[in-house]
Amino acid sequence: LKVLSETVSARPWPEVLIPLVSAGKPLTLPARLVQPLNGGFETDPDTAWTKAIVGPAGALIYSRQQKPLPNTDGDRFVWLGGTADQRKSIEQKVILAPRHGGITLRFRYWLYSEERDCTSSADRVLVSSGDKTLEYVMCEARRTFNPALGHGWVEGELALGPGSGQQVTLSFSSSLDDDDRNSNFFLDNVRLCSTDPNAASGDKCP
């Protein structure tokens, strides 16, 4: 009996090359932002912000009943300036959440001034956090009132840099000279946002 032998390569499926991919380090997302306490100044009495006035006595947080400003976010806001030869400040310590590539301080403000010359005006508002500063020279040309809107509220912002869990102080201060040309800086809705593309949607800057 003659037996025939035959070599058969049996492959029930085609040969497929599967690349090996290293998993690497898992993506660690930025932590959720911790917002300033009472950033809209609606809680009364306020205990979140440290307030100071040098010069003639006065207040810092006002209600719409005391000062009827239109189009406020709520009932209460901060009034910097308003009195000659006076310095006002309001500040709060906050934590910049870790793993954020960039965090920005945002706020609403309304600037009104009767100072005619911007180059010589000594009426100033300083927004600061550590070595990051933003200065507003208060004068007629810098007024923010928009007749078409019927108010002067605009958005301001200051880039604070990366967040790594460090504590910083957010500070808003005003300084007015002693002449009779008044300047005012109304402040509301102080908040933080993130420019990191991996931040939670509710934390991202618009």
Side-chain angles (χ1 to χ4, degrees):
L1 178 65
K2 185 177 181 181
V3 179
L4 298 178
S5 63
E6 183 177 7
T7 303
V8 179
S9 178
R11 289 184 178 179
W13 53 79
E15 183 176 358
V16 178
L17 296 178
I18 301 177
L20 297 178
V21 180
S22 173
K25 295 182 179 180
L27 177 63
T28 303
L29 297 176
R32 292 303 303 266
L33 291 179
V34 179
Q35 294 295 336
L37 298 175
N38 201 22
F41 310 106
E42 294 301 307
T43 302
D44 180 30
D46 169 74
T47 58
W49 295 88
T50 300
K51 299 171 280 292
I53 297 178
V54 177
L60 270 161
I61 300 178
Y62 287 79
S63 68
R64 292 187 65 180
Q65 288 70 40
Q66 296 169 301
K67 179 70 176 178
L69 286 181
N71 206 49
T72 56
D73 279 350
D75 182 58
R76 297 166 66 79
F77 51 87
V78 166
W79 186 356
L80 297 172
T83 302
D85 198 24
Q86 185 188 67
R87 289 163 178 78
K88 293 181 176 180
S89 66
I90 186 166
E91 63 182 36
Q92 182 180 154
K93 296 182 185 300
V94 298
I95 299 295
L96 298 186
R99 301 184 297 278
H100 283 268
I103 295 178
T104 298
L105 169 66
R106 291 179 63 86
F107 51 93
R108 294 182 82 206
Y109 73 94
W110 180 337
L111 190 157
Y112 176 85
S113 178
E114 296 171 349
E115 290 285 350
R116 300 186 184 91
D117 188 353
C118 293
T119 58
S120 63
S121 174
D123 295 353
R124 308 292 173 96
V125 164
L126 185 67
V127 182
S128 65
S129 176
D131 61 349
K132 308 296 192 300
T133 60
L134 175 63
E135 185 178 62
Y136 292 92
V137 177
M138 295 193 285
C139 57
E140 288 183 349
R142 306 286 170 81
R143 292 177 181 176
T144 58
F145 182 77
N146 186 333
L149 297 177
H151 66 80
W153 292 108
V154 294
E155 286 286 332
E157 63 178 41
L158 174 64
L160 304 181
S164 59
Q166 73 273 35
Q167 185 182 73
V168 300
T169 299
L170 307 179
S171 175
F172 299 84
S173 61
S174 63
S175 176
L176 268 63
D177 58 24
D178 59 357
D179 64 24
D180 58 356
R181 292 183 290 275
N182 197 10
S183 295
N184 306 271
F185 191 95
F186 304 106
L187 172 70
D188 200 3
N189 197 12
V190 178
R191 61 211 185 273
L192 299 177
C193 65
S194 177
T195 58
D196 195 301
N198 295 315
S201 59
D203 288 342
K204 287 184 179 180
C205 295

